Every structure is written in C-alpha cells, then in structure tokens.
Amino acid sequence: MSAAETTTAKVPPTRPSPPPGTGAAPAPKPGGKPKGAGGGVPWLLLAPCLLILLLVLGYPLVRLVTLSFQKFGQPQLWGFKDPESVGFDNFSKILGDGEFWSVVVRTVVFAVSAVVLTMVIGMLVALLLQKVSGWVRTLINIALVASWGMPIIVATAIFKWLFDADYGVLNWLLSRLPGVDMVGHNWFASGPQGLAVIILLVVWGAVPFVVITLSAGLTQVPKELEEAARLDGAGAWGVFRYVTLPILKPIIVMLTTLSVIWDMGVFPQVFVMRNGHPEAEFQLLTTYSYDKAFVVNDYGTGSAIALVTVVLLLGVVAVYMRQMLKIGEVE
C-alpha cells in the first residue's frame, strides 16, 4: 500500500446513538465502573468482623471508661450498693500519687530497654542469616519458630529455673569462672536485677518474630544497589546505613511500634515470675492496675490506671501513623 493510499483510507463510521425515547441504555465508557456496582457488598462482608470487634473490644472499653469515673468496690460488685459517680476523683488520686508515677517511669524504662534490645539483636541475627548457608538458615528458622511458639507460662517457668538462687543453671555456670562466686545469688533480691531478668525473658520471646520479619525484608533489598554502593567506596556500615536501612525503614517502624505496645502491656512474665504477688519495685502499669482492682478491690482506681495506659499506647500508635504517612509521602 502506498503512502497516498494510507492517508486516504476510510475510517469506519461511528455507531449512531439510539434515538431518544427508545429506552436503550448508553454504552458504558471504556474502563468505567457500572453505577451502583458493588454498593454495600463490601460493608456486608465486613459486618460480621466489625460486629465481633465491637463486642470483644468495644464493650470492654466502654465498661472500662464507665468504671474509671465511678466508685466501684466489693459492695457494688455484689450488688449491695449502687455504683457512685465520682467524676475525675479516681484520676486525681492516681495522678497525685508518687507511687503511680514511679510505676509509669519504671514501665517506660522497662519497655524502652526491651524494645532496643529486641530490635538490635533481631537485626544482627537477621543480617547474620543472610551470610550462612541454606541448611543452616533453615535450622535457625526452625529454632526461632519453636521458641516463638512456646507458651509464655512455660518460658517463664524455664527462666525461673535458670535464675533460681539454689538450683539455677546460670549461677552454677558463672561460679565456674575464675574469681566468681554466684552460689546462692538471688537475682530477685533487688528490683533492677529482677527486672533485667524479666527483660531478657521478654526479649527472648520477641526476637524470633523480629528476625523472621526483618529477614523477609532483607530479601527485598536490591543487590544492585548494594554493589553500586561498594563500588563507590562504601564499607559494610555505609551499605547498611545508606542502602539497607532506608529500604527497611517501614518494617522497622512497624516492628518498633508493635514491640512498644507489647512491652508496655507485659503482664504474665512479671506476674508468674513473682509468684502472683509482684513487690512494689517490680510493679508495672499492668500489674499495678491489676493489684488496685483485684487485690485492693478498688475497681474504679484500677480502671483509671488501665485507661491512662490505653491513652499512652494511643500516643504510640499516633506516632506510628505519622511516621507511616511521612514514608508514604516520600514514596
């Protein structure tokens, strides 16, 4: 076909539109979505899940808020007296109590220490897994999943035995070192030492999840970028800081936020380690709220402490959402 014939080729006539009043529907636009398609189907599918969340989370939260503004003890629990509204008296009592603020500081230090150790150890192990052979990586992953799946009560019982003053394996091993005598040493004689043991227990249980998640993220780091950084003269730290770390930032932010929430809510480790009666120097916000509510039978004050804890955790979630939005804007 010549160029002239190409330019003079006839274009197929367009399809005429139907005359008005015939009832024929106009043809849908290419790629367009029919009006009303989907409708409320997504919400209908989500309704059972939302209903369960409302029952499981909504009612307890409403009840918690209600109790925090009431005087509610054993007489009210057994129905001998009606709950008495006290306004903000419960909050004024705990916010003006020096013991409460000591517990808050102790909880924050505990959570920060556990999170930092968890993230550092988890990152180091994840990086190490990239350097070993496939079968070694498989064995380590199996061990990580096994330790991660161990019930908290079982793990706590094992740690109690390891750090036992009379029959603990750790004291026996340390005493084998030259000049070290740890026979009969009680790790829970002081708050800092005892909390350090509990932090190790929390870290031991949290590291597997962090390692597995970071290992999955490391597989998405382009090898070409790492090679280019090395060719530009960057060392191992430079490659990690300027290539690996920025790519893993969303995962690190997520893991850090989840770790803070989990470690701020630590309860069974402290409760079981101290045989159900944590001393004052071992009290965290969760155990402190439990003692006020179920040991002292002051459910209003216990609810107020729990509500303050929820507000603190919501602040952590707000920081997490802000960081994720910033990462989304950059991308």
Side-chain angles (χ1 to χ4, degrees):
M1 181 182 292
S2 64
E5 292 174 339
T6 303
T7 56
T8 57
K10 293 183 178 180
V11 179
T14 58
R15 183 178 180 181
S17 59
T22 59
K29 296 180 181 179
K33 185 178 180 181
K35 187 177 180 180
V41 174
W43 289 105
L44 184 63
L45 296 175
L46 287 173
C49 179
L50 295 176
L51 181 61
I52 293 175
L53 287 176
L54 184 63
L55 293 175
V56 175
L57 299 177
Y59 173 76
L61 183 59
V62 172
R63 185 62 175 157
L64 177 68
V65 174
T66 304
L67 285 175
S68 64
F69 291 97
Q70 292 178 343
K71 181 181 179 181
F72 200 98
Q74 275 192 331
Q76 290 79 13
L77 179 65
W78 294 106
F80 299 130
K81 291 183 180 180
D82 293 330
E84 179 183 347
S85 178
V86 294
F88 290 91
D89 288 354
N90 291 329
F91 294 96
S92 300
K93 181 166 64 174
I94 63 173
L95 294 178
D97 186 5
E99 183 183 4
F100 169 77
W101 289 110
S102 298
V103 173
V104 171
V105 173
R106 188 180 302 116
T107 304
V108 172
V109 173
F110 179 92
V112 171
S113 303
V115 170
V116 171
L117 281 175
T118 301
M119 295 304 299
V120 171
I121 296 175
M123 178 63 76
L124 292 176
V125 175
L127 291 172
L128 180 63
L129 287 179
Q130 306 301 309
K131 306 297 183 182
V132 298
S133 60
W135 68 272
V136 175
R137 188 183 305 115
T138 302
L139 290 178
I140 295 177
N141 284 329
I142 292 174
L144 289 172
V145 173
S147 62
W148 185 29
M150 181 178 293
I152 295 177
I153 303 301
V154 176
T156 305
I158 293 174
F159 265 72
K160 284 185 66 176
W161 172 68
L162 289 175
F163 289 89
D164 186 78
D166 298 321
Y167 307 103
V169 176
L170 185 63
N171 286 349
W172 179 80
L173 288 175
L174 292 176
S175 299
R176 297 297 171 181
L177 298 175
V180 178
D181 183 13
M182 298 293 289
V183 176
H185 177 72
N186 186 3
W187 291 90
F188 297 94
S190 65
Q193 280 192 17
L195 287 175
V197 173
I198 299 175
I199 288 174
L200 290 178
L201 170 60
V202 173
V203 171
W204 182 85
V207 161
F209 175 72
V210 174
V211 172
I212 294 171
T213 307
L214 289 176
S215 297
L218 286 170
T219 60
Q220 304 303 314
V221 179
K223 301 300 181 183
E224 297 80 4
L225 292 180
E226 294 180 344
E227 186 64 27
R230 293 190 185 95
L231 292 175
D232 289 339
W237 170 249
V239 173
F240 174 77
R241 180 180 179 184
Y242 296 107
V243 177
T244 307
L245 202 57
I247 295 177
L248 292 180
K249 185 177 180 180
I251 299 178
I252 294 175
V253 172
M254 178 197 69
L255 289 174
T256 303
T257 305
L258 290 176
S259 298
V260 171
I261 294 174
W262 291 337
D263 295 345
M264 287 279 289
V266 164
F267 177 82
Q269 292 90 333
V270 180
F271 191 79
V272 176
M273 247 337 163
R274 303 313 303 141
N275 300 316
H277 302 285
E279 297 85 351
E281 52 193 356
F282 289 94
Q283 292 284 3
L284 303 179
L285 279 173
T286 50
T287 58
Y288 189 61
S289 173
Y290 175 87
D291 278 2
K292 288 294 183 182
F294 298 102
V295 177
V296 186
N297 295 316
D298 189 354
Y299 299 98
T301 302
S303 299
I305 297 171
L307 189 59
V308 171
T309 306
V310 171
V311 172
L312 291 175
L313 293 179
L314 287 177
V316 176
V317 174
V319 173
Y320 165 72
M321 295 301 298
R322 182 179 179 184
Q323 291 297 322
M324 294 306 294
L325 289 175
K326 285 183 177 181
I327 294 173
E329 292 175 358
V330 172
E331 293 178 351

